[in-house]
């Protein structure tokens, strides 16, 4: 048997090459006959497959024109059936020699799976009850020179699916559905925020100072000015400048870039939404988040109950709100309200096996406890509030406890879905926070911020009390489409070069 497989392998390669050669020869023959499909510039497609099948009573007996990719063909002498796939799915077409003409039918029989065609005909139902189009005309619009994956197994190679998303979309209907839902999710977010009086804006991607988040930026060089620039890691600092300028409610949905690793929840370029609202605080941002998530789920999915990996999450119920200290106490048994010194924090970390670095302060160690013991338990929608000041350089202190800040992170499925603050608008305090960040940078923290003098100048002009939040759009799309990896909701994820 092994010898048979060995002998068959080269024959399969030769056959594939022969099949590709046949397709190119068919194109050459068409061009020689003056029937080059690539000279066609348009086709008047009047309907899509889904519209016809979902509204059959309206279309029965009426003439329609559809266009799409030929996905199957069954030739039976003088009559044939084929399936044409468009944006909304596939529809069967009945093609008969006596209806379209002898020469046209001969040409149709030479069509290949993957060719793009236009079909004009009347809508009817076959004896087996399948809604179909009875072709009066069929036109070859594009000749496919490659061979699609085998129909019933589809494109299953995960790496190839991401590299050749165009084939993935053709062969896997659920993939197309995911990206249609992604588009609807983002449109729904915009509708909600626009309805709340927010203004959508655009801010620079190439910046001199990549601040607003703890992340390592990508760096580049601008030849015209002979200056080094960075790709933005967040949208925050420019949007706050607009709040200073008097635009009271602003948001931006855009790509940000972080020079970090790849895994199921991280891609170096991803879609972030940040919004800022004057005269509110982080409680206002919690209310907005809760209402927006409900709105989007209901509008896109038709329900506020979603399921991810078999876990049901109910967006219709009030979201839990818990402080970081209380969450750590609940899941680790350690009460950081009882820990007053860095030495005590290090001692309890040693006892619990939580690794920390020499530069870490008490607040950093609290956050490490949270990551170690708490995050995985936050399956239902949960706001974790009141973070230590050491990890929140752009956030207002809590007046009654200046070691903590008015900040929350929104969690679902054990993932951070959003990060929000009562924004720091004291320029003197902000300068001190930047100074502390610079010290961390000098101690080896590559993700620490650097001082942004123009942003400080904007704060000195005066920024009103403001609530702000950043949403991970890709993770939101993962949850609402039950997708297992961030690459499944990015049309073209970052891939290691094949070279």
């Amino acid at each position: 048997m092994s010898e048979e497989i060995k002998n068959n392998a080269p024959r399969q390669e030769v056959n594939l090459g022969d099949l590709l050669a046949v397709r190119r020869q068919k194109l050459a023959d068409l061009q020689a006959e003056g029937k080059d499909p690539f000279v066609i510039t348009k086709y008047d497609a009047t309907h899509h497959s889904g519209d016809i099948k979902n509204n059959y009573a309206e279309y029965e007996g009426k003439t329609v024109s559809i266009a799409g990719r030929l996905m199957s063909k069954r030739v039976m002498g003088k009559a044939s059936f084929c399936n044409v796939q468009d944006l909304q799915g596939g529809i069967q077409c009945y093609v008969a020699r006596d209806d379209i003409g002898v020469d046209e039918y001969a040409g149709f029989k030479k069509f290949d799976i993957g060719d793009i065609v236009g079909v004009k005909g009347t809508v009817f139902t076959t004896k087996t009850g399948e809604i179909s189009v009875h072709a009066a005309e069929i036109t070859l619009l594009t000749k496919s020179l490659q061979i699609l994956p085998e129909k019933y197994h589809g494109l299953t190679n995960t790496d190839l699916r991401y590299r050749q998303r165009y084939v993935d979309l053709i062969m896997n209907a659920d993939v197309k559905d995911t990206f249609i839902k992604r588009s609807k999710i983002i449109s729904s977010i915009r509708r909600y925020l626009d309805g709340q009086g927010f203004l959508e804006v655009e801010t620079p991607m190439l910046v001199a100072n990549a601040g607003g988040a703890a992340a390592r930026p990508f760096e580049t060089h601008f030849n015209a000015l002979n200056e080094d620039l960075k790709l933005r890691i967040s949208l925050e600092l420019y949007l706050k400048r607009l709040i200073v300028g008097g635009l009271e409610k602003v948001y931006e949905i855009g790509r940000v870039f972080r020079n970090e690793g790849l895994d199921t929840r991280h891609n170096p370029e991803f879609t972030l939404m940040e919004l800022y609202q004057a005269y509110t605080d982080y409680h206002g941002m919690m209310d907005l988040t809760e209402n927006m998530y409900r709105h989007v789920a209901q509008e896109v999915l038709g329900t506020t109950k979603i399921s991810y990996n078999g876990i049901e999450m109910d967006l219709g119920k009030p979201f839990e709100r818990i402080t970081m200290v209380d969450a750590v106490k609940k899941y680790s048994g350690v009460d950081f309200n009882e820990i007053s010194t860095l030495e005590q924090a290090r001692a309890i970390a040693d006892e619990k096996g939580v690794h920390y670095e020499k530069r870490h302060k008490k607040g950093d160690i609290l956050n490490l406890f949270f990551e170690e013991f708490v995050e995985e338990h936050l399956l239902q929608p949960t706001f974790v509030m009141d973070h230590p000041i050491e990890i929140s350089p752009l956030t207002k202190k809590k007046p009654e406890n200046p070691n903590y800040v008015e900040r929350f992170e929104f969690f679902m499925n054990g993932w951070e879905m959003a990060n929000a603050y009562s924004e720091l608008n004291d320029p003197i305090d902000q300068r001190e926070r930047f100074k502390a960040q610079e010290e961390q940078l000098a101690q080896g923290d590559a993700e620490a911020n650097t001082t942004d003098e123009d942003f400080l100048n904007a704060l000195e002009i005066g920024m009103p009390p403001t609530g702000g939040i950043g949403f991970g759009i890709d993770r939101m799309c993962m949850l609402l489409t039950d997708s297992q990896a961030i690459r499944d909701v990015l049309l073209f994820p970052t891939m290691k070069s094949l070279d």
Side-chain angles (χ1 to χ4, degrees):
M1 183 179 288
S2 60
E3 185 66 23
E4 182 181 344
I5 294 173
K6 181 179 178 181
N7 289 337
N8 276 343
R11 281 205 300 272
Q12 290 174 348
E13 291 178 9
V14 171
N15 289 342
L16 178 60
D18 287 347
L19 290 172
L20 295 175
V22 167
R23 292 196 176 209
R24 280 162 173 74
Q25 185 58 53
K26 286 181 181 180
L27 175 62
D29 293 342
L30 288 168
Q31 291 169 332
E33 296 167 9
K35 299 177 181 178
D36 185 353
F38 294 118
V39 303
I40 297 174
T41 58
K42 64 175 292 187
Y43 184 82
D44 185 18
T46 60
H47 296 83
H48 283 96
S49 59
D51 295 331
I52 296 169
K53 292 194 289 187
N54 295 332
N55 303 280
Y56 176 69
E58 179 183 343
Y59 291 111
E60 182 181 13
K62 293 186 178 179
T63 299
V64 297
S65 294
I66 61 168
R69 193 175 298 276
L70 192 65
M71 298 302 290
S72 66
K73 187 176 68 167
R74 186 158 46 99
V75 177
M76 303 177 297
K78 298 178 182 180
S80 302
F81 286 97
C82 64
N83 188 280
V84 176
Q85 178 176 292
D86 61 15
L87 175 67
Q88 296 181 352
I91 191 166
Q92 180 174 267
C93 298
Y94 173 71
V95 184
R97 185 190 67 180
D98 294 343
D99 296 320
I100 68 170
V102 175
D103 291 342
E104 288 75 8
Y105 189 68
F108 164 74
K109 291 200 293 184
K110 295 179 181 178
F111 289 180
D112 290 306
I113 303 304
D115 288 351
I116 296 176
V117 299
V119 180
K120 183 177 182 180
T122 55
V123 178
F124 77 111
T125 303
T126 65
K127 292 179 181 179
T128 59
E130 185 164 357
I131 297 171
S132 308
V133 175
H134 188 143
E137 301 174 8
I138 186 162
T139 307
L140 180 63
L141 303 175
T142 300
K143 185 65 189 169
S144 175
L145 301 180
Q146 278 287 353
I147 296 172
L148 293 177
E150 194 271 325
K151 175 182 175 183
Y152 294 103
H153 295 93
L155 183 61
T156 56
N157 181 298
T158 302
D159 187 75
L160 190 60
R161 283 182 52 224
Y162 298 142
R163 292 184 188 278
Q164 296 185 11
R165 182 67 84 186
Y166 42 91
V167 181
D168 191 23
L169 290 166
I170 293 168
M171 300 306 301
N172 296 316
D174 57 330
V175 172
K176 182 185 291 185
D177 181 62
T178 292
F179 287 106
I180 290 173
K181 281 182 180 173
R182 179 189 171 104
S183 179
K184 290 180 178 179
I185 288 166
I186 294 173
S187 295
S188 182
I189 291 170
R190 284 192 165 103
R191 276 191 294 275
Y192 177 78
L193 293 177
D194 293 346
Q196 298 295 312
F198 281 83
L199 182 69
E200 184 173 12
V201 298
E202 295 174 308
T203 61
M205 290 190 182
L206 282 172
V207 295
N209 189 329
R216 187 194 300 258
F218 287 94
E219 299 181 359
T220 186
H221 185 77
F222 184 22
N223 293 332
L225 296 181
N226 193 28
E227 289 184 351
D228 291 331
L229 295 173
K230 299 177 177 67
L231 290 173
R232 66 184 181 186
I233 59 174
S234 84
L235 313 173
E236 179 167 349
L237 300 186
Y238 280 97
L239 291 177
K240 285 183 178 178
R241 286 168 166 92
L242 299 180
I243 295 293
V244 171
L247 301 181
E248 294 182 358
K249 293 182 176 182
V250 293
Y251 76 96
E252 181 174 7
I253 300 174
R255 287 284 175 142
V256 296
F257 309 87
R258 298 182 182 180
N259 199 349
E260 57 189 18
L262 294 163
D263 60 32
T264 56
R265 284 183 284 159
H266 294 90
N267 194 71
E269 58 172 315
F270 61 97
T271 302
L272 183 66
M273 181 181 76
E274 292 196 32
L275 63 86
Y276 294 85
Q277 178 179 345
Y279 311 114
T280 191
D281 62 4
Y282 73 142
H283 293 290
M285 293 295 100
M286 288 185 222
D287 294 339
L288 183 148
T289 301
E290 195 163 337
N291 292 331
M292 188 189 76
Y293 260 77
R294 286 196 191 110
H295 166 88
V296 172
Q298 187 65 53
E299 189 171 87
V300 177
L301 304 179
T303 178
T304 57
K305 291 183 178 180
I306 65 171
S307 179
Y308 188 85
N309 270 347
I311 299 172
E312 187 174 280
M313 290 164 262
D314 192 349
L315 297 169
K317 295 180 179 179
F319 295 2
E320 182 181 0
R321 303 186 182 196
I322 187 171
T323 67
M324 180 177 281
V325 169
D326 287 344
V328 167
K329 180 180 178 181
K330 179 178 179 179
Y331 291 105
S332 75
V334 176
D335 186 355
F336 269 76
N337 283 327
E338 304 297 325
I339 297 173
S340 57
T341 67
L342 175 58
E343 290 70 25
Q344 290 175 322
R346 286 174 172 172
I348 195 67
D350 291 337
E351 179 185 325
K352 294 289 187 177
V354 176
H355 174 73
Y356 57 88
E357 298 178 22
K358 185 177 180 180
R359 61 184 173 84
H360 283 150
K361 298 179 181 178
K362 175 190 167 186
D364 297 299
I365 294 175
L366 168 61
N367 187 55
L368 292 172
F369 266 77
F370 175 77
E371 293 173 350
E372 179 72 24
F373 295 104
V374 181
E375 285 189 1
E376 63 180 328
H377 298 287
L378 304 179
L379 301 180
Q380 296 301 316
T382 304
F383 295 117
V384 176
M385 308 178 296
D386 302 349
H387 293 51
I389 192 170
E390 292 90 340
I391 63 169
S392 309
L394 298 166
T395 315
K396 272 194 173 184
K397 298 173 184 175
K398 291 182 69 64
E400 70 278 13
N401 190 349
N403 291 322
Y404 294 89
V405 297
E406 293 191 350
R407 172 185 175 187
F408 74 80
E409 290 176 294
F410 173 49
F411 281 84
M412 289 179 65
N413 192 51
W415 302 348
E416 179 197 339
M417 305 298 294
N419 187 23
Y421 313 148
S422 296
E423 302 296 335
L424 178 61
N425 62 345
D426 179 344
I428 298 171
D429 189 355
Q430 182 64 80
R431 183 174 291 279
E432 290 301 312
R433 308 270 194 104
F434 274 142
K435 182 179 178 181
Q437 287 283 298
E438 295 271 12
E439 291 173 357
Q440 291 186 32
L441 187 66
Q443 293 174 22
D445 184 357
E447 297 184 347
N449 287 191
T450 55
T451 303
D452 188 326
E453 290 292 346
D454 182 73
F455 176 65
L456 289 171
N457 184 66
L459 290 187
E460 289 177 357
I461 295 293
M463 186 176 82
T466 298
I469 189 167
F471 291 91
I473 296 296
D474 305 309
R475 291 185 187 178
M476 184 179 188
C477 291
M478 287 174 67
L479 279 183
L480 295 184
T481 61
D482 199 11
S483 298
Q484 301 308 301
I486 192 171
R487 290 181 175 185
D488 295 327
V489 296
L490 297 176
L491 279 167
F492 301 102
T494 302
M495 304 289 290
K496 183 175 176 60
S497 173
L498 292 174
D499 297 333

